[in-house]
Amino acid sequence: MKQVFSVDSNAIGVGECNVKWQKREGQFIAVNGKNDAVIIYNKSGEIVDKVNMEGKCTGIDWSPDGDLLAITDEVTGIITLWDANNKKIYIQLDTTWNDLSFCQWSKKGKRLAVGTSKGNLFIYDRKASKKVPILGKHTKSIICGCWQDDNIIACGAEDNTFSISDLKGTTLFEKTLKGKPSLMKENKVPVLSMVLDQRSFYIHNMENPENPLELVFQEEYGNIVAYEWYNENHIFFGFSNGNFIVMSTDPEFIGQELYHQKSHNDYLSDLVINFSINKVATCGDDVIKIYELSDLKETCEVITLDNDPGKMNSLEWSEDGQFLAATTIKGNAYVYLYKLPFLGSTYGTTLAYLTSLQEVTLIDQSKTTMAANDQIPPSMKIKVDIEPTILVVGERHLAVGVNNQVLYYSLIGRNNGNDNEDSNSEKNNYIQHEYLAPIKHLLLNRTLAAALLTNGKLQIHNIDNSKSNKMLKLFPNNTDTFLIICAALTSNFCIFGTNTGVIYHYDLESWSLVNTIKHKTGIRELYPQFKGGIRFIFIDDLNEGYVCNPVNNTILQIPGISLNTIGILWDVECKNSCSFVTYDNELLTTYICTESHIKGSQCSIMGTTKLSHGLKPILLNAGVVSSQTHNGKICMTQLSTHLDIKEENIEKEKNISKLLQLLYSLGRFNVIFLKKIEKIEDKNSLCGQISMLLGEYDNAQEFFLRNSDGIAALNLRRGLRQWDQALSLASTFAQNEVSIIAKEYALELEFNGEYGQALAMYNKALSCVNDVNMTDEEKSKHITLCNAGLIRTTLQNGEISKGMKMLRSIQNKELLQECGSILENLKQYNEAGQLFNRSENYEKAAVIFLKAKKYSNVTAILPYITSPKIFLQYAKIKEAEGKYKEAEEAYEKAQDYESVVRLILDHSSNIDKAVEIIRKTRSREKDAFEIAQQHNEMEHLASLLKEDASRDMLLNIALYFENQNQYLYAGKYYIQCGDYTKALKMFMQPNAGSESYDKAIECIGIAKNDKLIHMFIDYLMGETDGIRKDSKYFFKLWMSIGKYSEAAKTAIIIAREEQNLGNYRASHEVLLEIYLMLTNINSKIPNEIEKMLMLIHSYSLIKLLLKIDEHMKAAKMLIRVSNNISKFPAHAAYILTSTVVECHKVGLKKQSFDYATMLMRPEYKQKLDSKYKRKIESVIRRPDITEIEEPTSPCPFCGAPVIETTLDCLECKNHIPYCIATGQHMVLNDWSNCPYCKFPALYSQFKVLLEKTHTCPMCNHHVEPDAIEICNNPIEMLKEKKENEEAFKDKDINFNFSNKTTNSFKSLLSINRNNNINVSV
């Protein structure tokens, strides 16, 4: 930030001073000090006028249009209006009161309000020149005020009151305050704000005047010295102790500090915001600090008053943010240039830009001076004689201008460096030219200037005085009807585009028309290449961009050009390729144009680069973008698409994709890449290879075929395994490859299960085998593989007899086993067994023959069998046939000695053999038991014996575990021994776990003993050890013994408790289990179980529906759950919040309001999540009770229309089944069922859900979409189910419940589990 000028206290008087920038234009600043005068300065610090006062100045204010400055004093009663256009006093108004204390213009500048020290008010109507005096508005001096629109004025006075009045002086509102008001401001109608006694902040709402808001701050902050409104409900406060804070007036955050910073150590005297540049400035401690509104933590800039001992007093921005004025309590004022206009221009690598209001800096961005500018130094500063709005640099001239006036400065022979060039001769060395109309765009080349005027004319003339400075050309001619919208001037041509869509090229030497391009719409902008370039870019009225080569009239559309594009820059150093960037406020997008692309001429996006905020790009040189900043500096940005890569690094690069990117960015694609493709010289072959690398295989094949290189195309398709195209190419270009390709294709088809096509390909391979170029050995192997595939696919296609004939001469064991497996899968067991037998896989053959009941075939291969399992199976078959001798031998080979003994005792008299077998086998068990006991390996022995051990062995194992206090294992083996009472006692030992309880229930289910049931119930109720067990074991007990009625009651108790605790998945599983069990025995389902399952399932559906973006269905389920919210006490507030949010999202505004109201009840409000509180309150404050008509569908019983989510028909009074996929009621024409749990679902909805999840939402089984089908007659199924449903059918085991048992188990509570269903909105 640069100081432009300063005003010394000697000029305006020592003491506090006041400054005011002219509004809108910002050309003048009014300064008032202690010497009773107001001095008006221009932006350069020159005095424009001075208005002397007879007394102390009490107010200065510019009108909103910047035309008039109002000045009041405390002596004369005269209001002085100073005219900015004529730079003199416009009028002096006599109020007849000599104690003026305040003045302010209205919002639109139509009226001026002036207050007096006696509380009177004076209103001046500027348009009607009418004066309205209003007496006695306040009892003491009016010291502040503000306008609302142009017809309401609010005033604050020293009598601690403020009033609101209309133009006639009628008091609309008046209120006594707690302190003296100051700094009165309007936020937006109807809100007024002010500071009371510099300590508290007062907000008055005109729509609710009886309930003002007053904020009081901590005393350590000090006094409020300034504040600014920001974004309607945010306020910046500056405090005298150096703090500034940001506070919100939003009802939810009222009184909370959103941001706090100690900006100055000792004191802070002022705080101002400029919204045009989004900056906030504070002053204090002899420094000025400037912050970004978007990031207050970082200080953008700091200005220190080193040479002024006076403390900082106030700040004043110009409206456009270009200037910042600061004052001190000693009476000094300083004006700083904070932001310069973005004026810049380039010619080649020469860059000219504004560095001060009347100073232009020129620099050469290349490493060496350009040959064309060898007489111009690499950098210089030129002071110009005007404050320009137009700035253009050419090869030899600098042009600056305003409106239709342009000054041309010669660049030849100027001094190098940063000299100020103070001599008048240098300063005035320019040529002035006046044009026919204001200039829209100015263009320069070596000798000519072309001015595009706002009237659609293009005026061209010579620049230098040595030649005629008269107009050379004026386009268009008087006979032409078009307007010129844009133009460009190169070394040899003048180009301009018109509103009719025509681009004209004129030769500058002969002024003849050399080219015309017609476009579909008007031309808006032109961007020609620099010297040596022939292309230009044009933007049309549709904001579409095109690159044009006028030599051959080739036009390429620029892809992906943004609608927000601000400009385009050609790379001035791009020699071998044509690259450019487009830019907007955020991104630089790099493009490249090439005519040697494999697809012909192309314009392609290379990438994007982020553009820093506040930069304006003006030059692109070798991948580096030069941009202007707001403070008159140049910032360099390296494009991400242009990398610093050396030639040797490119040669070493092995990644082809990376290499292509690097070469594109450097513009050297053709030279380097030719070396990488093994010296390929043919263009089509080269294009084919590049297309392959880019994955454009169709284009690659086309290029290869253009070059008659069918083999390359064939290898391409073969490598991609695109067999049909490979076969077609081989038939044309390589007949000797047809058989090999057909075999490879057939193998892939066979692997994919396409056996019909595979069979055809194997036949094709064999039919062309004579054309193959192979050795005899390779050819024989090829034929063998084809024949094997032919046999396999013949069998797979069901031609069994043909395949078996083909296999008669085959001796290959591997092929025989493959074909045997195929026939086994086809359930052709006899043929499969024969093939396994031929392949000498006798055990597999025996298994297949047993399946086929070909026992004679099994007998024939028994000598080759060693598997006991096969012998055991064979023995059982022979025993069933009555062939006991053969069965005995087979049992013995199977080592089933008990069966051997049984057969001997039952069907033979060879008792001695039986005794010998018993002696040998029993001694083995005894020895094994003793060894296991000695080495503590009883568990291992038990696992080896499993169910094959004798009862005595099992009893010994059980006794062993009992003695070792391993009661769970002991109980298991007592069950195997059949001692159920003993087993149950083992499972009911102290400290038994859930596995013991489950085994006890299993034991009772096997025993079916009344005494054991009573014993276990007493144990569960805690009568044996004083500890009550989980009621889920009652449920399992009733299910095990078939007492389904009691199981249902217990299930309801368990499910209700789980639901109350928030364990919804556990509740769902219990209810589903009893539901399915009762359904399987055709028992009636209790209504309570049905309703509980429906509610829990509706809740579990919510998360699933939200996951697949079915928000309307999810909202309907939330409504169903919320209507029964008492059933979900653990998460009631959470569910209601989700209901409000989802209903509001899908447009169910009335329901959203209803549940939001419910959520505000005391029992729910305290549990409401804070992040949704504001949303809920907004729904309640702005209720929308419009209802959406809910869709209906026919009742499956009577056909009457029923709302989709309603499950009861009002016509036929039937309860309608619900869809497990959506929660809606079922309809007849869209009925399906889950293949596992048999619950109904709407076929169309269920299929869509399964395609996404492959899981039934009710039973969680994996279900494929194709596994479900529409039911043909669902109503008959419903009737049949209703007829078959009876009362509970318990299994009769002669068991009766005592009253104690029935009453006690109902009081048991379930174990608390974590909630494993969580719905998030």
Side-chain angles (χ1 to χ4, degrees):
M1 193 154 62
K2 179 180 178 181
Q3 181 177 318
V4 181
F5 68 92
S6 64
V7 180
D8 191 82
S9 57
N10 295 328
I12 57 177
V14 178
E16 291 186 5
C17 62
N18 189 20
V19 295
K20 285 284 184 179
W21 278 104
Q22 181 192 20
K23 295 179 181 177
R24 188 175 293 179
E25 298 294 334
Q27 296 293 323
F28 305 109
I29 182 171
V31 183
N32 159 244
K34 292 294 184 178
N35 62 358
D36 299 336
V38 176
I39 305 175
I40 295 96
Y41 295 86
N42 63 16
K43 291 192 294 185
S44 300
E46 299 170 345
I47 297 177
V48 177
D49 199 4
K50 181 177 182 180
V51 180
N52 292 310
M53 317 295 294
E54 294 186 16
K56 177 184 176 182
C57 178
T58 56
I60 53 175
D61 193 37
W62 288 93
S63 62
D65 57 12
D67 289 344
L68 296 177
L69 174 66
I71 306 170
T72 59
D73 66 74
E74 64 180 4
V75 175
T76 64
I78 300 295
I79 304 171
T80 301
L81 299 182
W82 187 82
D83 187 354
N85 295 318
N86 297 313
K87 302 176 184 177
K88 63 181 181 179
I89 294 175
Y90 168 66
I91 193 174
Q92 289 186 315
L93 305 172
D94 188 359
T95 63
T96 70
W97 297 322
N98 59 0
D99 52 357
L100 305 184
S101 60
F102 155 83
C103 71
Q104 190 178 70
W105 287 97
S106 63
K107 298 295 181 182
K108 297 179 181 178
K110 294 180 180 179
R111 297 173 180 89
L112 175 69
V114 177
T116 73
S117 59
K118 293 182 180 180
N120 300 321
L121 182 66
F122 180 88
I123 297 175
Y124 171 65
D125 189 321
R126 174 182 172 185
K127 186 176 182 180
S129 298
K130 180 180 178 182
K131 295 183 284 187
V132 180
I134 303 168
L135 296 172
K137 178 55 64 178
H138 289 272
T139 59
K140 292 186 178 181
S141 177
I142 296 175
I143 53 177
C144 62
C146 68
W147 285 88
Q148 291 189 323
D149 292 330
D150 262 26
N151 52 7
I152 302 293
I153 177 70
C155 297
E158 288 184 344
D159 58 4
N160 293 352
T161 64
F162 90 94
S163 63
I164 301 176
S165 310
D166 61 14
L167 297 178
K168 296 180 180 179
T170 304
T171 301
L172 305 178
F173 179 83
E174 187 173 17
K175 185 173 181 66
T176 301
L177 304 171
K178 295 180 181 179
K180 183 169 69 174
S182 61
L183 303 177
M184 184 180 291
K185 296 181 182 181
E186 177 204 16
N187 179 22
K188 282 195 174 180
V189 179
V191 176
L192 292 173
S193 60
M194 65 196 82
V195 176
L196 304 182
D197 283 343
Q198 296 185 324
R199 301 297 300 174
S200 61
F201 185 67
Y202 185 89
I203 300 176
H204 171 80
N205 190 327
M206 293 180 65
E207 294 181 351
N208 188 14
E210 302 304 322
N211 295 298
L213 178 64
E214 185 172 356
L215 302 176
V216 180
F217 300 92
Q218 301 177 34
E219 289 187 6
E220 62 186 36
Y221 287 172
N223 295 332
I224 302 174
V225 297
Y227 73 90
E228 292 278 0
W229 284 93
Y230 174 59
N231 283 350
E232 295 188 23
N233 58 356
H234 289 79
I235 314 172
F236 282 76
F237 288 97
F239 294 91
S240 59
N241 286 355
N243 297 281
F244 85 81
I245 67 171
V246 181
M247 185 170 286
S248 173
T249 58
D250 189 282
E252 186 174 353
F253 303 104
I254 192 69
Q256 296 183 19
E257 294 181 7
L258 303 181
Y259 182 78
H260 175 208
Q261 178 172 307
K262 181 78 171 175
S263 179
H264 300 271
N265 293 326
D266 296 331
Y267 74 96
L268 183 150
S269 57
D270 202 3
L271 177 149
V272 289
I273 293 178
N274 189 287
F275 294 104
S276 65
I277 58 174
N278 282 323
K279 296 286 192 301
V280 57
T282 64
C283 66
D285 295 342
D286 300 329
V287 297
I288 302 169
K289 293 186 178 181
I290 300 174
Y291 303 87
E292 281 278 358
L293 283 177
S294 58
D295 185 10
L296 296 172
K297 296 179 181 179
E298 296 293 332
T299 305
C300 296
E301 203 158 350
V302 177
I303 305 169
T304 304
L305 300 181
D306 295 327
N307 300 321
D308 192 332
K311 290 185 176 181
M312 298 293 300
N313 180 44
S314 64
L315 297 173
E316 174 83 356
W317 285 105
S318 62
E319 275 195 358
D320 59 3
Q322 188 174 348
F323 292 92
L324 176 65
T327 67
T328 69
I329 60 175
K330 291 289 185 70
N332 298 321
Y334 301 90
V335 176
Y336 296 92
L337 178 63
Y338 184 76
K339 172 190 164 188
L340 278 170
F342 279 124
L343 284 181
S345 174
T346 62
Y347 184 82
T349 57
T350 301
L351 191 154
Y353 59 100
L354 203 63
T355 49
S356 185
L357 293 178
Q358 291 181 244
E359 180 184 81
V360 178
T361 298
L362 287 87
I363 58 174
D364 191 338
Q365 293 293 76
S366 64
K367 293 182 180 179
T368 59
T369 308
M370 292 180 58
N373 286 352
D374 54 359
Q375 295 177 310
I376 300 175
S379 66
M380 68 173 71
K381 290 186 177 180
I382 299 177
K383 283 195 173 181
V384 296
D385 293 70
I386 58 174
E387 187 177 323
T389 58
I390 301 169
L391 189 153
V392 181
V393 66
E395 185 173 340
R396 294 187 173 188
H397 299 86
L398 172 70
V400 294
V402 177
N403 200 11
N404 68 332
Q405 301 282 336
V406 176
L407 307 182
Y408 292 93
Y409 294 84
S410 175
L411 301 179
I412 306 301
R414 284 192 174 267
N415 294 328
N416 187 6
N418 297 326
D419 57 353
N420 294 324
E421 300 185 20
D422 292 330
S423 64
N424 293 330
S425 60
E426 287 282 357
K427 186 174 181 180
N428 297 320
N429 185 20
Y430 60 81
I431 302 169
Q432 185 173 354
H433 193 90
E434 184 174 344
Y435 294 90
L436 301 176
I439 299 170
K440 178 181 178 182
H441 192 44
L442 186 65
L443 310 163
L444 302 181
N445 66 7
R446 189 180 182 90
T447 59
L448 297 180
L452 178 61
L453 309 180
T454 55
N455 60 6
K457 302 286 187 180
L458 182 64
Q459 185 176 343
I460 304 172
H461 64 90
N462 286 310
I463 301 173
D464 293 336
N465 286 327
S466 58
K467 299 180 181 180
S468 174
N469 199 17
K470 294 181 180 179
M471 182 169 50
L472 285 179
K473 279 289 182 180
L474 183 66
F475 296 102
N477 298 325
N478 295 330
T479 57
D480 295 326
T481 58
F482 60 80
L483 296 177
I484 299 175
I485 307 300
C486 53
L489 191 65
T490 68
S491 300
N492 302 311
F493 298 99
C494 175
I495 313 167
F496 57 83
T498 68
N499 61 332
T500 58
V502 182
I503 301 174
Y504 295 93
H505 273 69
Y506 279 88
D507 178 61
L508 295 180
E509 187 174 347
S510 62
W511 290 108
S512 58
L513 181 63
V514 294
N515 192 31
T516 303
I517 298 173
K518 294 184 179 180
H519 188 61
K520 57 185 178 182
T521 60
I523 310 301
R524 190 154 52 85
E525 296 175 38
L526 283 173
Y527 301 95
Q529 278 185 300
F530 187 55
K531 281 187 176 181
I534 58 174
R535 296 177 180 83
F536 65 89
I537 295 171
F538 66 89
I539 307 295
D540 64 13
D541 289 339
L542 301 177
N543 209 48
E544 294 177 349
Y546 299 87
V547 181
C548 179
N549 185 342
V551 174
N552 52 19
N553 279 357
T554 302
I555 297 178
L556 303 175
Q557 186 168 0
I558 302 174
I561 191 167
S562 169
L563 294 175
N564 300 320
T565 296
I566 297 173
I568 297 175
L569 301 174
W570 284 98
D571 195 330
V572 297
E573 283 296 306
C574 192
K575 298 176 181 178
N576 297 324
S577 63
C578 299
S579 61
F580 61 91
V581 296
T582 64
Y583 63 89
D584 53 25
N585 288 325
E586 296 180 355
L587 292 175
L588 295 156
T589 305
T590 309
Y591 292 85
I592 187 167
C593 294
T594 177
E595 295 182 353
S596 57
H597 195 279
I598 57 175
K599 295 182 180 179
S601 297
Q602 291 284 312
C603 179
S604 309
I605 296 178
M606 291 301 297
T608 58
T609 305
K610 184 172 178 57
L611 182 65
S612 299
H613 176 70
L615 298 184
K616 180 190 177 184
I618 54 175
L619 175 65
L620 173 60
N621 180 27
V624 178
V625 175
S626 301
S627 304
Q628 280 184 272
T629 65
H630 69 84
N631 56 3
K633 296 181 180 179
I634 296 297
C635 177
M636 315 293 281
T637 304
Q638 172 75 54
L639 293 178
S640 62
T641 51
H642 289 59
L643 306 176
D644 186 13
I645 299 170
K646 298 179 181 179
E647 195 75 22
E648 56 268 23
N649 293 337
I650 298 174
E651 292 296 333
K652 295 175 184 177
E653 181 60 58
K654 302 300 181 185
N655 186 321
I656 297 300
S657 299
K658 182 71 173 177
L659 178 64
L660 285 172
Q661 180 183 355
L662 303 183
L663 295 174
Y664 262 119
S665 66
L666 295 174
R668 292 175 289 178
F669 176 88
N670 294 334
V671 176
I672 305 298
F673 192 69
L674 281 172
K675 298 178 182 179
K676 300 294 292 186
I677 308 294
E678 296 180 353
K679 301 179 181 180
I680 297 175
E681 296 182 358
D682 183 77
K683 180 181 177 182
N684 288 322
S685 294
L686 176 62
C687 291
Q689 294 291 339
I690 296 172
S691 296
M692 284 174 60
L693 289 171
L694 298 176
E696 300 174 358
Y697 304 116
D698 291 338
N699 290 338
Q701 177 176 318
E702 183 179 347
F703 284 121
F704 288 141
L705 293 180
R706 284 182 192 173
N707 199 40
S708 300
D709 191 356
I711 301 300
L714 170 61
N715 291 334
L716 168 66
R717 295 302 179 184
R718 192 171 179 178
L720 294 171
R721 306 182 73 83
Q722 296 174 351
W723 302 111
D724 289 324
Q725 297 178 59
L727 277 174
S728 176
L729 291 167
S731 300
T732 305
F733 298 101
Q735 189 66 34
N736 59 323
E737 296 289 330
V738 172
S739 180
I740 299 172
I741 295 172
K743 180 200 70 176
E744 294 173 351
Y745 190 12
L747 287 170
E748 184 171 309
L749 290 168
E750 184 182 359
F751 178 79
N752 293 331
E754 301 176 27
Y755 303 115
Q757 296 182 51
L759 179 62
M761 284 298 107
Y762 280 125
N763 281 320
K764 185 176 183 65
L766 289 170
S767 66
C768 301
V769 76
N770 293 328
D771 298 327
V772 176
N773 294 331
M774 291 181 177
T775 64
D776 292 340
E777 183 180 352
E778 292 173 340
K779 191 172 185 178
S780 175
K781 185 177 180 180
H782 174 68
I783 293 172
T784 301
L785 289 174
C786 291
N787 282 325
L790 188 65
I791 295 170
R792 289 194 301 270
T793 51
T794 299
L795 293 174
Q796 292 283 15
N797 282 300
E799 300 180 52
I800 308 301
S801 58
K802 182 179 178 181
M804 293 300 292
K805 288 179 182 178
M806 298 169 71
L807 284 165
R808 287 175 184 173
S809 59
I810 300 299
Q811 300 300 322
N812 188 316
K813 294 181 181 180
E814 185 178 350
L815 177 59
L816 290 172
Q817 291 194 38
E818 287 178 354
C819 294
S821 298
I822 292 172
L823 290 170
E824 182 185 3
N825 292 333
L826 296 174
K827 299 184 179 181
Q828 303 295 321
Y829 299 122
N830 188 27
E831 291 81 359
Q834 294 175 21
L835 296 181
F836 282 116
N837 190 14
R838 287 177 58 189
S839 68
E840 299 179 358
N841 189 347
Y842 298 114
E843 293 193 354
K844 183 68 175 178
V847 172
I848 300 298
F849 282 138
L850 287 173
K851 284 185 180 180
K853 299 182 180 180
K854 299 291 183 180
Y855 305 128
S856 59
N857 293 347
V858 178
T859 304
I861 61 175
L862 274 181
Y864 307 104
I865 305 298
T866 59
S867 171
K869 185 177 180 181
I870 295 175
F871 278 114
L872 182 61
Q873 192 175 357
Y874 180 74
K876 290 179 180 179
I877 292 169
K878 288 303 177 182
E879 183 181 358
E881 291 178 350
K883 298 178 181 180
Y884 302 113
K885 185 62 178 176
E886 295 179 21
E888 180 185 330
E889 293 175 356
Y891 276 128
E892 192 167 0
K893 290 182 178 179
Q895 300 177 6
D896 187 357
Y897 299 111
E898 288 188 2
S899 297
V900 174
V901 172
R902 179 176 51 77
L903 285 179
I904 292 173
L905 295 176
D906 292 344
H907 303 289
S908 175
S909 58
N910 192 353
I911 302 301
D912 293 337
K913 183 177 180 181
V915 171
E916 180 66 20
I917 292 173
I918 291 171
R919 185 184 65 80
K920 290 180 179 179
T921 56
R922 291 308 181 199
S923 63
R924 286 180 185 175
E925 285 189 349
K926 184 177 180 180
D927 293 342
F929 181 85
E930 291 176 354
I931 293 170
Q933 191 174 24
Q934 291 173 3
H935 297 278
N936 291 325
E937 293 290 337
M938 197 60 69
E939 292 181 29
H940 183 59
L941 174 63
S943 65
L944 291 174
L945 293 174
K946 297 182 180 177
E947 298 178 357
D948 298 327
S950 64
R951 188 179 186 281
D952 291 339
M953 174 62 80
L954 293 171
L955 185 59
N956 288 333
I957 294 173
L959 287 169
Y960 171 84
F961 283 123
E962 184 179 359
N963 293 331
Q964 296 292 324
N965 295 330
Q966 294 179 296
Y967 300 115
L968 178 60
Y969 286 103
K972 290 180 180 178
Y973 289 99
Y974 276 128
I975 290 176
Q976 292 189 37
C977 295
D979 192 346
Y980 302 114
T981 303
K982 189 71 172 174
L984 185 60
K985 290 180 179 179
M986 294 296 103
F987 296 133
M988 295 193 303
Q989 293 294 323
N991 301 320
S994 60
E995 187 176 357
S996 295
Y997 301 152
D998 292 336
K999 279 295 181 182
I1001 293 169
E1002 179 183 341
C1003 176
I1004 294 171
I1006 297 172
K1008 300 293 192 295
N1009 185 283
D1010 187 19
K1011 181 181 177 181
L1012 297 182
I1013 295 172
H1014 276 292
M1015 186 189 305
F1016 189 60
I1017 289 175
D1018 290 341
Y1019 176 76
L1020 291 177
M1021 291 166 57
E1023 295 190 3
T1024 58
D1025 57 2
I1027 302 173
R1028 292 186 173 185
K1029 312 304 183 295
D1030 194 339
S1031 56
K1032 69 179 180 180
Y1033 298 113
F1034 276 99
F1035 173 74
K1036 291 183 178 181
L1037 175 62
W1038 307 144
M1039 296 296 291
S1040 175
I1041 65 178
K1043 283 292 182 181
Y1044 301 114
S1045 57
E1046 298 302 324
K1049 295 175 184 176
T1050 308
I1052 292 172
I1053 294 172
I1054 296 172
R1056 185 179 294 120
E1057 293 300 328
E1058 296 285 4
Q1059 186 171 341
N1060 289 340
L1061 293 171
N1063 304 324
Y1064 306 120
R1065 188 172 299 281
S1067 177
H1068 188 278
E1069 290 174 357
V1070 172
L1071 293 169
L1072 179 61
E1073 183 178 355
I1074 187 64
Y1075 188 100
L1076 295 177
M1077 183 62 72
L1078 295 177
T1079 302
N1080 289 336
I1081 62 173
N1082 290 327
S1083 286
K1084 180 176 177 61
I1085 311 296
N1087 290 334
E1088 188 171 1
I1089 288 181
E1090 277 198 326
K1091 184 174 181 181
M1092 288 178 70
L1093 181 58
M1094 180 272 292
L1095 275 178
I1096 291 293
H1097 186 67
S1098 299
Y1099 181 80
S1100 64
L1101 275 179
I1102 296 167
K1103 184 176 182 180
L1104 181 61
L1105 292 170
L1106 291 173
K1107 186 176 180 181
I1108 61 175
D1109 291 330
E1110 290 285 355
H1111 289 274
M1112 178 59 80
K1113 293 185 178 69
K1116 295 297 181 64
M1117 292 303 99
L1118 280 165
I1119 291 172
R1120 177 180 292 169
V1121 172
S1122 296
N1123 287 337
N1124 299 271
I1125 198 63
S1126 62
K1127 303 291 193 302
F1128 299 83
H1131 300 90
Y1134 184 81
I1135 293 170
L1136 289 172
T1137 303
S1138 301
T1139 307
V1140 173
V1141 174
E1142 278 301 307
C1143 288
H1144 193 270
K1145 183 186 295 185
V1146 300
L1148 299 175
K1149 300 300 177 60
K1150 183 180 184 301
Q1151 291 84 343
S1152 179
F1153 172 77
D1154 292 341
Y1155 292 110
T1157 306
M1158 183 186 297
L1159 195 54
M1160 289 296 106
R1161 294 175 183 172
E1163 62 268 31
Y1164 301 131
K1165 187 174 182 180
Q1166 60 185 358
K1167 299 178 182 179
L1168 179 60
D1169 194 333
S1170 59
K1171 66 182 180 181
Y1172 294 111
K1173 187 176 180 182
R1174 185 177 179 183
K1175 176 73 174 180
I1176 303 300
E1177 289 176 347
S1178 67
V1179 171
I1180 295 174
R1181 284 198 299 267
R1182 293 187 289 274
D1184 184 356
I1185 57 173
T1186 57
E1187 296 190 47
I1188 299 176
E1189 185 177 354
E1190 297 192 45
T1192 61
S1193 54
C1195 169
F1197 293 96
C1198 64
V1202 180
I1203 294 174
E1204 285 182 345
T1205 52
T1206 300
L1207 302 181
D1208 293 295
C1209 178
L1210 298 177
E1211 293 294 326
C1212 63
K1213 309 302 180 184
N1214 277 313
H1215 181 72
I1216 308 173
Y1218 59 93
C1219 167
I1220 60 174
T1222 63
Q1224 300 172 356
H1225 72 72
M1226 297 296 295
V1227 294
L1228 293 178
N1229 60 356
D1230 198 22
W1231 195 298
S1232 67
N1233 295 91
C1234 171
Y1236 294 97
C1237 61
K1238 306 302 180 185
F1239 270 80
L1242 296 172
Y1243 176 82
S1244 57
Q1245 303 290 337
F1246 196 24
K1247 192 173 183 68
V1248 171
L1249 179 64
L1250 291 178
E1251 287 174 352
K1252 296 179 179 178
T1253 65
H1254 298 277
T1255 304
C1256 171
M1258 177 62 77
C1259 63
N1260 289 327
H1261 270 89
H1262 181 83
V1263 182
E1264 290 297 328
D1266 297 332
I1268 62 170
E1269 56 186 14
I1270 295 181
C1271 296
N1272 294 327
N1273 197 350
I1275 197 65
E1276 291 298 322
M1277 181 181 67
L1278 284 175
K1279 290 179 180 178
E1280 182 180 353
K1281 179 183 177 184
K1282 202 167 184 180
E1283 292 171 358
N1284 291 337
E1285 282 183 350
E1286 302 171 2
F1288 285 109
K1289 300 194 298 183
D1290 292 346
K1291 295 180 181 177
D1292 186 11
I1293 58 173
N1294 299 320
F1295 176 76
N1296 295 313
F1297 293 99
S1298 64
N1299 290 334
K1300 180 182 73 171
T1301 303
T1302 305
N1303 294 330
S1304 297
F1305 82 84
K1306 291 182 180 178
S1307 64
L1308 295 173
L1309 295 180
S1310 61
I1311 298 173
N1312 190 3
R1313 303 179 183 87
N1314 291 328
N1315 177 20
N1316 47 16
I1317 296 180
N1318 184 22
V1319 178
S1320 297
V1321 178

